[in-house]
Amino acid sequence: MIPNFSQAEENYIKNIYHLQQSTGFVTTNELSAALNTKPASVTDMLKKLKLKKLLNYEPYKEFQLNALGKKVALGIVRKHRLWEYFLVEKLQFGWDEVHEVAEELEHISSKKLIEQLDSFLNYPRFDPHGDPIPDSNGKMSVQQQLLLTELPLNRFSEVTSVGSQSTELLELLKHKNISIGTRLEVKRKFSFDQSTELELENKVRVNISEQLASVLFVKEL
Amino acid sequence: MIPNFSQAEENYIKNIYHLQQSTGFVTTNELSAALNTKPASVTDMLKKLKLKKLLNYEPYKEFQLNALGKKVALGIVRKHRLWEYFLVEKLQFGWDEVHEVAEELEHISSKKLIEQLDSFLNYPRFDPHGDPIPDSNGKMSVQQQLLLTELPLNRFSEVTSVGSQSTELLELLKHKNISIGTRLEVKRKFSFDQSTELELENKVRVNISEQLASVLFVKEL
DNA sequence: AATTTTTTTTAGGTTTGTCTAAATTTTATT
DNA sequence: AATAAAATTTAGACAAACCTAAAAAAAATT
């Protein structure tokens, strides 16, 4: 069984994980900047994580999480994103307010807690920022969700989720003939009001407001 | 504003609070036993809590939380019990499983989190063990709820809540003519099967099983 | 290739919260 | 009231996680 790790250890693991997503390797300075700690402190912790067999690390070299380290990291990411989803969906937090709180909640250790939470939330696949939530085996959807506001022009895409369940929003979406699964392309953006012209699957064009575009998640096809 | 306290400090505060409920005062040894730490460590922390103006403490004397200390303690108790309620009501935990997890969750610091959670849970007044949940001002219902199994003979009492929402339970309660608000007295307990004979408000007598009695909360009148 | 700059590590401290062992104070017993 | 026992505090250490300052290694520049 995987042992428990301290909050500090978990923060290092999680940050290494995120940093190594780009190039596969991380440097002491990068990590120290991400964690807001001095490089000397980072070195200390790297030795400890190596000792605990989570990290490939040799002095003065770049480092990376090994298989076990990545597994642990995915568990933390899972908790973080599930809690974010919970805060937004159930406790009426805004997307922008959840990160800090989730930073604390992600360190709660109960395995049962997180499995029951996942089930209670109905196994969401993406957090409120569109990032994929690893399942209990660490698997997650590869494709990141984008906000419609971030989608470039003329890319085929599909609506994957909406950032709120309010009846007002659902009413509007019904009117515009948009629902989960609707395929669309962004054809134009009007800078005056940031409104967006979409082309739906049936070639119909609709114009949607910035407020609406900013609560629609899509994935590119 | 009240500052934040470390997890260790919070655990001391909470335990002092509970211990001083009986006699109003706590001794170093009592607290050390409750916390599973050595008396010497307790002394260290007592000095710190005194310095932080939470505690009335003089060397070699019994001690107690002052007004501020009690306020802080109630905030922790509030969080603990709200989380317990959440775990049982929303995440299908059994009463017996919640304590440990709540011990961790009670240290999450976000004020907004706990207020939103309270609202999400619909401002429950008692936790799954029948203990009252302080409101955001630290006020709580004085009367503790009891399990019907704990109620002495011939005491007027009123059903306040049921420990589960299962349809099976509700079906049985309907059959027995018992609901929230029903007034009753325990008239006899049969040691063979621990079943209980109740007298309801209309003088009707019913016999209920131990399983049923152990999910009914009552308050004495 | 030599030198400078940057990065990383080492060495030695600090704080928090714990411990053990010894000293002190309080309480209980004779 | 004197002594023994129990409770509490003090003194000195230790681990975790951080720090600063100096040393060492690696990378960049001349």
Side-chain angles (χ1 to χ4, degrees), chain B residues 25-42:
Chain B
F25 288 91
V26 186
T27 68
T28 302
N29 260 0
E30 274 167 24
L31 185 51
S32 117
L35 287 163
N36 240 301
T37 49
K38 301 291 156 174
S41 310
V42 171

Side-chain angles (χ1 to χ4, degrees), chain B residues 168-210:
Chain B
E168 292 87 344
L169 172 58
L170 299 177
E171 181 194 6
L172 179 57
L173 286 174
K174 190 164 185 183
H175 177 72
K176 301 262 184 191
N177 248 300
I178 297 173
S179 61
I180 307 287
T182 299
R183 292 171 181 220
L184 51 80
E185 269 175 75
V186 172
K187 285 304 187 184
R188 274 185 80 178
K189 291 186 188 176
F190 296 100
S191 55
F192 173 69
D193 59 359
Q194 315 296 332
S195 71
T196 303
E197 184 165 70
L198 303 180
E199 183 176 292
L200 304 186
E201 30 212 337
N202 49 13
K203 300 291 174 199
V204 171
R205 298 235 172 169
V206 295
N207 184 284
I208 69 172
S209 66
E210 202 222 344

